[in-house]
Amino acid sequence: MIASASFYGLIAGGQFIVGAPILGDRLNDLVISYVLWMLILNAVGDSGFGIAEEAETGTLEQLYLSPMQPTTLFLIRTSVNMLFSLVFVLVVLTLLIFLMKIPFAFDIALLLPILLALLVAMGIGLLVASLAILFKRINQLLNIIQFVFYS
């Protein structure tokens, strides 16, 4: 809800200042980019912060004692987190379409670049998680990494 309101406020504020629609027919592209950005941010942040929290609480060792490989567990966890993030982002996308009253058209040609971007984000998330395992107290570095994606 807050993500939808902030995006809507940004676009509506820009249109108010300019006095005319500022994006024209490119609003669909901007909405898809915003949604993809939110998914990438969630994919990178959730893995690293989750592992860092488990390292601090001491439950990370239990993952390594399980019968499954830790890499498999981390991949499954990242995939499930990505699915939950996708549900959240679809709600935000629906709210944006409703609030902005845009005729949303999703081109099927965008599916491959979006999937590749999400796979790269999952890989970066696993890299951040490995840094969290290597250096137990990494929360400040995780905040800096998320700041890079905010920029």
Side-chain angles (χ1 to χ4, degrees):
M1 185 70 172
I2 294 173
S4 300
S6 65
F7 184 79
Y8 181 71
L10 179 71
I11 297 300
Q15 288 176 352
F16 177 74
I17 289 173
V18 172
I22 57 174
L23 298 170
D25 60 347
R26 296 290 179 188
L27 192 57
N28 280 344
D29 298 337
L30 187 63
V31 169
I32 289 174
S33 298
Y34 181 70
V35 166
L36 182 62
W37 174 72
M38 285 181 14
L39 274 174
I40 288 173
L41 211 63
N42 286 338
V44 172
D46 286 346
S47 297
F49 283 116
I51 296 299
E53 183 180 331
E54 286 187 358
E56 287 179 7
T57 59
T59 58
L60 185 62
E61 290 82 8
Q62 293 175 358
L63 289 176
Y64 281 96
L65 294 175
S66 71
M68 293 180 71
Q69 292 286 330
T71 308
T72 306
L73 287 173
F74 294 144
L75 280 173
I76 291 171
R77 177 184 291 171
T78 303
S79 300
V80 169
N81 284 341
M82 182 67 72
L83 287 176
F84 281 120
S85 295
L86 187 63
V87 169
F88 168 73
V89 164
L90 287 176
V91 169
V92 169
L93 179 65
T94 305
L95 282 172
L96 285 175
I97 290 171
F98 177 72
L99 284 175
M100 302 183 86
K101 296 176 180 69
I102 57 173
F104 186 74
F106 183 76
D107 189 13
I108 200 74
L110 291 175
L111 196 58
L112 182 64
I114 288 174
L115 287 176
L116 289 176
L118 292 179
L119 284 174
V120 168
M122 286 174 65
I124 292 172
L126 290 173
L127 177 69
V128 169
S130 68
L131 288 174
I133 292 171
L134 193 59
F135 309 109
K136 296 275 184 181
R137 301 195 182 266
I138 196 169
N139 284 337
Q140 289 78 16
L141 180 64
L142 292 175
N143 289 331
I144 291 171
I145 290 172
Q146 279 203 326
F147 178 73
V148 168
F149 282 107
Y150 280 126
S151 306

